[in-house]
Amino acid sequence: MLEILLEDYKNTQADPSTSAKEKVAAGMACASAIQYGKVLNQGEMEDLFDTLFACQAPNYSPKANLL
């Protein structure tokens, strides 16, 4: 996870107004995300949806805001 975080931090062409803290937080979110193509069981899917809809900004993507 640390390697992914560091690579993402180095390679992010972010807005200069984006703080280092925001870049690190976005990198951590991406590094800990479920990998594309991973098959989830029913319980994992339900937990994912419950967590998504319980958060304050379910339509916010840290990665999209750094590109």
Side-chain angles (χ1 to χ4, degrees), residues 2-65:
L2 186 57
E3 287 178 7
I4 295 169
L5 173 64
L6 291 174
E7 282 301 313
D8 194 47
Y9 185 84
K10 288 190 314 188
N11 296 325
T12 301
Q13 300 296 322
D15 180 1
S17 66
T18 303
S19 73
K21 234 189 254 190
E22 289 175 300
K23 286 175 71 175
V24 169
M28 288 177 67
C30 291
S32 63
I34 297 169
Q35 297 299 312
Y36 179 79
K38 180 179 187 311
V39 178
L40 302 177
N41 66 37
Q42 186 70 29
E44 290 170 320
M45 289 187 275
E46 289 173 3
D47 186 50
L48 184 61
F49 280 114
D50 291 344
T51 303
L52 172 65
F53 291 113
C55 71
Q56 292 179 343
N59 59 339
Y60 177 79
S61 170
K63 185 80 170 181
N65 291 334

